[in-house]
């Protein structure tokens, strides 16, 4: 017998209200803030290439301690900005400070690290010390290096250098700078450290953890014992270094802006993909992805005052084009990052806050009133906690258990790599349906017919799914209950099925979406569905064989299906409850909806005039620090009337079919960009090949034929 939906809604509303009251009571500490900025120097522990500096703002509870520590790191951005009174915004369109520590007349230093104050102050009120690092000098907009194209290993070392200083001040080995205005002696508990990184800062934080933990690392001796408990990333990059940087051994979550015009392929989901394959973690930290429809990349930082996206495809924008950013979008960060840190960092963790990331639990109306979301989640990838049915890592038609799957009525079914946004190693089943029907299904099997498996120790079914669409399939009006639907059932060894559960009763699966005008959009991103095994009435868990996905509810569908498994952690009451709870959101919820709608109606930025692009020069140089080799190098210098954005995505030059990503901005305006190739790489390029540059989701720059 199914529970009464009204009683479930009331119980959930009461539970959410009690959580909200508990959070409100906790966030009452008086806080102080101050800054430190040490003299710039060539610090070989960070880089010998340029001067760097230790500059940060610190937020802390006024009294008490030691407190858990959270460190913030912003992404790649201009380091000098000018205020335009006509537009009412600051344009950060120069990189002078990167190299010289000064900005030209009419410009100010871009305070990139101050853009997360709305998050820092909230955490400090909840008992954390928060340190927000400025990475302008010698890092932001600095020349890339071989093996560290995006300088994210350098970012990681800068974070560790800050931790080294903080540890000395905390231990009383040295006095904290007077500019802080308060002491740090015994203020920080290094046994409980959380990290947040935005854009390149996300991969930079993974680099900090990796370099601290690597064999023969000098950093533990320099800093002392540090326990990294959680890492939260916002719109991060992935793969900009020679290392594969994962988040093993700590709780991890990524917020993905659905309308990201900078890191436009949403590559930040790839560490989540890889995490699912790391099954040997000794602890059980959860991993999560949290896609926010309608959010852009830049406005999670209040100091970044130009939108990276001119609009959205397949979703409603919750941001204007410039100015004060988007309060609605910032709320999606504060309502995820703060619960994440409360759940995973500190001696008094609040485990209930982690439900924010589990798609089987409802989201609060403070979030659902703003926009839609798609969540990916694993309570733990640890092998002992999961029973893998099918990762689609074998040939089409064969499950991970090396037994035959069953299918009927499908117009297409194949195993292979998932979408372009996902890790190249992520596997999925691509399924197409032309006509719905009870006989149209895919059954993934963990055993042969007649061979029962006892899975009574497991509590929930978990799988990942995405709707693929193009053309008219993406054009129909979105459904409040999701754009995909099908039926789930447990298959038993005698050929019988449990009672079915419909997808829409437990999850909202929406169509793909992307920033407006991004080439290659839409982004097909898989989300997780988690269903209690108890929901499948009539199932005998001692006679389990597999899971049947029956495509009987909607007509034409094209889907990705991945990572079908059972997990020992139970699932919650289902993800459709927030849609019902939202009706009771009240005046506050209405205000948020109105604000989001107003942001979406803001006039998009005018299209830029046609570019004037040219190849300034091609020169051979004897050696280049960038390629870390004694062999000759070739620099290709490009200029454009449309400035090249300094952002998270790597600039990539395509010469014919060949692509290269090692580049640098000269000090000053961002209308020039220099790519470095090895001599043999350049010599292999064909004369007259077309030259183009792509940077994230921006419109490509075309430079004509290569004049060798």
């Amino acid at each position: 017998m199914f529970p009464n939906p009204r009683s479930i809604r009331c119980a959930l509303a009461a539970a959410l209200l009690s959580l909200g009251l508990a959070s409100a009571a906790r966030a009452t500490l008086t806080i102080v803030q101050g800054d430190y900025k040490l003299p710039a120097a060539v610090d070989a522990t960070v880089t010998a290439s340029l001067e760097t500096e230790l500059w940060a703002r610190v937020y802390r509870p006024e009294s008490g301690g030691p407190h858990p520590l959270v460190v913030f790191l912003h992404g790649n951005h201009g380091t000098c900005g000018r205020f335009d009174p006509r537009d009412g915004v600051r344009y950060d369109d120069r990189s002078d400070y990167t190299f010289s520590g000064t900005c030209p007349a009419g410009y100010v230093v871009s305070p990139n690290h101050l853009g997360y104050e709305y998050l820092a102050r909230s955490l400090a009120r909840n008992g954390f010390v928060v340190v927000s690092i400025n990475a302008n000098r010698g890092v932001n907009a600095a020349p890339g290096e071989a093996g560290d194209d995006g300088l994210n290993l350098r970012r990681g070392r800068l974070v560790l250098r800050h931790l080294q200083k903080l540890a000395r001040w905390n231990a009383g080995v040295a006095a904290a700078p007077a500019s802080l205005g308060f002491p740090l002696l015994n203020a920080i508990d290094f046994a409980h450290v959380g990290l947040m990184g935005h854009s390149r800062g996300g991969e930079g934080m993974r680099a900090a953890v990796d370099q601290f933990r690597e064999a023969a690392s000098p950093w533990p001796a320099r800093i002392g014992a540090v326990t990294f408990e959680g890492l939260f990333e916002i719109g991060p990059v992935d793969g900009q270094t020679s290392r594969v940087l994962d988040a093993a051994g700590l709780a991890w979550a990524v917020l993905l802006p659905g309308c990201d015009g900078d890191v436009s392929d949403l590559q930040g989901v790839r560490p989540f993909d890889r995490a699912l394959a790391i099954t040997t973690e000794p602890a059980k930290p959860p991993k999560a992805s949290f896609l926010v429809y309608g959010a852009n990349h830049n406005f999670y930082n209040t100091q970044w005052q130009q939108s990276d996206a001119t609009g959205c495809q397949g979703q409603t924008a919750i941001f204007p084009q410039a100015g004060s950013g988007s309060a609605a979008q910032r709320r999606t960060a504060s309502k995820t990052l703060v619960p994440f840190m409360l759940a995973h960092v500190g001696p008094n963790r609040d485990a209930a806050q982690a439900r924010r990331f589990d798609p089987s639990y409802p989201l609060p109306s403070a979030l659902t009133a703003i926009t839609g979301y798609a969540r990916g989640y694993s309570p733990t990838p640890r092998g002992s906690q999961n029973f893998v049915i099918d990762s689609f890592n074998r040939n089409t038609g064969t499950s991970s258990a090396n037994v035959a799957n069953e299918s009927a009525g499908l117009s297409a079914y194949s195993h292979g790599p998932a979408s372009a946004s996902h890790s190249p190693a992520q596997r999925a089943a691509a399924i197409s349906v032309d006509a719905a029907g009870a006989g149209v299904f895919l059954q993934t099997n963990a055993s042969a017919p007649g061979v029962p498996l006892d899975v009574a120790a497991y509590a929930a079914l978990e799988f990942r799914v995405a709707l693929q669409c193009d053309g008219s399939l993406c054009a129909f009006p979105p459904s409040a209950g999701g754009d995909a639907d099908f039926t789930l059932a447990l298959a038993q060894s005698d050929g019988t099925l449990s009672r079915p559960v419909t997808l829409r009763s437990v999850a909202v699966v929406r169509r793909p979406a992307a920033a407006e005008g991004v080439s290659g959009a839409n982004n097909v991103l898989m989300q997780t569905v988690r269903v209690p095994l108890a929901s499948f009435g009539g199932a005998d868990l001692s006679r389990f064989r597999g899971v049947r996905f029956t495509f009987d509810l909607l007509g034409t569908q094209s889907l990705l299906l991945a990572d079908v498994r059972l997990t020992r952690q139970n699932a919650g009451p289902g993800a459709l409850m927030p849609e019902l709870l939202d009706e009771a959101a009240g005046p506050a919820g209405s205000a948020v909806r109105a604000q989001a709608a107003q942001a979406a109606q803001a006039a998009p930025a005018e299209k830029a005039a046609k570019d004037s692009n040219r190849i300034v020069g091609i020169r051979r140089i004897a050696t280049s620090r960038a390629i870390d080799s004694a062999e000759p190098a070739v620099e290709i210098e490009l200029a454009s009337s449309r400035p090249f954005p300094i952002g998270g995505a790597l600039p990539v030059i395509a010469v014919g079919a060949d692509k290269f990503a090692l580049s640098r901005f000269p000090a000053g305006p961002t209308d020039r960009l220099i790519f470095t190739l090895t001599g043999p790489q350049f010599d292999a390029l064909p004369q007259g090949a077309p030259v183009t540059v792509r940077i994230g989701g921006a419109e490509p720059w075309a430079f004509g034929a290569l004049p060798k």
Side-chain angles (χ1 to χ4, degrees):
M1 181 175 178
F2 292 102
N4 182 282
R6 179 179 177 82
S7 66
I8 291 178
R9 291 199 295 273
C10 293
L12 286 171
L16 289 170
L17 179 61
S18 67
L19 282 175
L21 290 174
S23 177
R26 183 173 182 174
T28 56
L29 297 178
T30 302
I31 64 173
V32 292
Q33 66 185 52
D35 302 272
Y36 64 85
K37 184 178 182 182
L38 306 186
V42 174
D43 182 348
T45 64
V46 179
T47 178
S49 300
L50 290 168
E51 288 188 336
T52 56
E53 61 194 2
L54 300 182
W55 178 12
R57 175 160 291 181
V58 181
Y59 309 78
R60 61 158 293 181
E62 187 175 36
S63 59
H67 302 284
L69 171 67
V70 178
V71 183
F72 288 178
L73 182 63
H74 62 78
N76 200 45
H77 197 71
T79 57
C80 293
R82 58 179 174 85
F83 182 76
D84 188 321
R86 181 185 59 184
D87 296 338
V89 298
R90 190 187 67 245
Y91 290 100
D92 299 325
D93 56 4
R94 292 183 69 100
S95 60
D96 307 70
Y97 191 88
T98 304
F99 303 94
S100 67
T102 61
C103 291
Y107 278 75
V108 297
V109 180
S110 304
N112 293 306
H113 63 309
L114 302 185
Y116 312 105
E117 184 165 292
Y118 67 103
L119 299 171
R121 294 181 66 84
S122 181
L123 286 172
R125 285 195 299 269
N126 278 281
F128 295 88
V129 173
V130 182
V131 177
S132 189
I133 293 171
N134 184 294
N136 280 354
R137 190 76 184 268
V139 181
N140 265 17
E145 296 179 342
D148 196 12
D149 290 355
L151 298 183
N152 296 332
L153 295 176
R154 185 182 298 181
R155 284 181 169 82
R157 294 192 295 272
L158 181 68
V159 170
L160 295 174
R161 191 72 173 88
H162 277 267
L163 290 177
Q164 181 182 1
K165 280 291 185 183
L166 291 165
R168 289 174 60 83
W169 300 335
N170 188 64
V173 175
S179 61
L180 268 179
F182 50 80
L184 285 179
L185 181 65
N186 296 324
I188 299 172
D189 186 350
F190 282 91
H192 303 287
V193 177
L195 306 170
M196 187 284 283
H198 182 191
S199 196
R200 290 194 194 180
E203 189 170 50
M205 284 302 197
R206 271 178 276 138
V209 175
D210 190 71
Q211 291 172 107
F212 182 86
R213 291 175 172 176
E214 67 185 347
S217 170
W219 292 105
R222 293 169 178 165
I223 301 170
V226 178
T227 301
F228 297 109
E229 294 185 316
L231 168 56
F232 189 97
E233 303 184 34
I234 299 176
V237 302
D238 184 64
Q240 292 188 356
T241 82
S242 57
R243 302 187 185 194
V244 177
L245 296 168
D246 291 315
L250 71 166
W252 181 87
V254 60
L255 186 155
L256 299 165
C259 194
D260 195 322
D262 180 356
V263 188
S264 57
D265 59 358
L266 303 186
Q267 58 191 252
V269 75
R270 295 172 189 170
F272 180 74
D273 297 332
R274 297 194 299 268
L276 296 181
I278 303 174
T279 60
T280 56
E281 287 183 298
K284 298 187 295 182
K287 316 294 180 185
S289 65
F290 200 97
L291 176 66
V292 180
Y293 283 93
N296 71 5
H297 184 90
N298 282 356
F299 286 172
Y300 284 111
N301 184 317
T302 60
Q303 292 294 329
W304 297 356
Q305 298 176 5
Q306 292 173 270
S307 175
D308 51 284
T310 58
C312 297
Q313 296 179 157
Q315 56 193 313
T316 301
I318 60 172
F319 58 89
Q321 285 302 311
S324 60
S326 166
Q329 181 167 317
R330 293 194 296 274
R331 186 180 294 238
T332 66
S334 63
K335 295 296 182 183
T336 50
L337 179 142
V338 175
F340 175 86
M341 296 300 175
L342 291 173
H344 301 298
V345 179
N348 302 309
R349 294 186 288 274
D350 183 356
Q353 298 285 343
R355 292 180 178 177
R356 187 66 46 94
F357 302 92
D358 184 340
S360 66
Y361 286 91
L363 288 168
S365 59
L367 280 171
T368 59
I370 300 170
T371 187
Y373 308 88
R375 290 179 282 179
Y377 183 74
S378 173
T380 171
R382 190 177 177 186
S384 62
Q385 301 298 305
N386 299 293
F387 177 82
V388 175
I389 301 167
D390 206 345
S391 297
F392 304 102
N393 57 335
R394 294 183 180 270
N395 292 335
T396 300
T398 302
S399 75
S400 295
N402 202 27
V403 298
N405 289 335
E406 299 171 30
S407 62
L410 303 176
S411 56
Y413 160 50
S414 63
H415 298 183
S419 68
S421 291
H422 286 278
S423 165
Q426 175 64 50
R427 300 278 293 183
I431 301 164
S432 294
V433 177
D434 286 340
V440 182
F441 69 87
L442 171 66
Q443 181 171 311
T444 61
N445 292 317
S447 68
V451 179
L453 299 173
D454 188 345
V455 296
Y458 295 89
L461 168 67
E462 184 177 290
F463 61 91
R464 299 172 76 190
V465 65
L467 177 68
Q468 301 185 99
C469 68
D470 53 54
S472 61
L473 188 58
C474 283
F476 62 88
S479 166
D483 300 322
D485 200 13
F486 49 78
T487 298
L488 311 166
L490 302 185
Q492 303 191 146
S493 57
D494 62 358
T496 61
L497 300 174
S498 71
R499 287 199 292 273
V501 172
T502 62
L503 177 68
R504 281 186 178 174
S505 70
V506 293
V508 176
V509 177
R510 294 182 169 89
R511 71 192 66 191
E516 184 179 62
V518 174
S519 177
N522 294 301
N523 291 313
V524 177
L525 238 64
M526 294 185 290
Q527 68 182 77
T528 302
V529 177
R530 303 187 69 240
V531 189
L533 292 183
S535 299
F536 296 97
D540 183 347
L541 297 182
S542 68
R543 299 165 54 208
F544 177 81
R545 185 181 177 221
V547 181
R548 179 169 291 198
F549 301 85
T550 301
F551 304 101
D552 55 348
L553 300 176
L554 294 178
T556 301
Q557 291 188 84
S558 178
L559 301 163
L560 289 180
L561 187 66
D563 297 308
V564 183
R565 60 178 69 190
L566 306 180
T567 179
R568 293 184 186 272
Q569 179 170 312
N570 209 345
L576 278 187
M577 290 298 128
E579 305 292 340
L580 301 171
L581 285 173
D582 213 17
E583 297 302 320
S590 300
V592 172
R593 280 191 291 269
Q595 182 184 53
Q598 183 179 16
Q601 293 168 5
E606 294 182 6
K607 298 289 185 182
K610 187 170 179 60
D611 304 341
S612 174
N613 303 326
R614 60 193 177 95
I615 300 175
V616 175
I618 299 174
R619 50 187 174 267
R620 291 185 183 269
I621 55 178
T623 59
S624 170
R625 183 189 295 270
I627 62 174
D628 194 26
S629 171
E631 67 181 89
V634 176
E635 293 185 337
I636 302 176
E637 183 170 352
L638 309 173
S640 177
S641 58
R642 174 165 55 110
F644 302 103
I646 301 174
L650 285 173
V652 175
I653 186 172
V655 185
D658 297 296
K659 296 180 181 179
F660 308 93
L662 190 58
S663 69
R664 75 175 195 271
F665 287 95
T670 57
D671 57 353
R672 295 204 175 200
L673 190 57
I674 301 170
F675 287 88
T676 303
L677 286 62
T678 65
Q681 285 174 335
F682 180 79
D683 292 340
L685 297 175
Q687 166 70 24
V691 177
T692 58
V693 169
R694 290 183 179 272
I695 306 178
E699 184 181 349
W701 289 256
F703 292 89
L706 177 68
K708 290 187 70 175

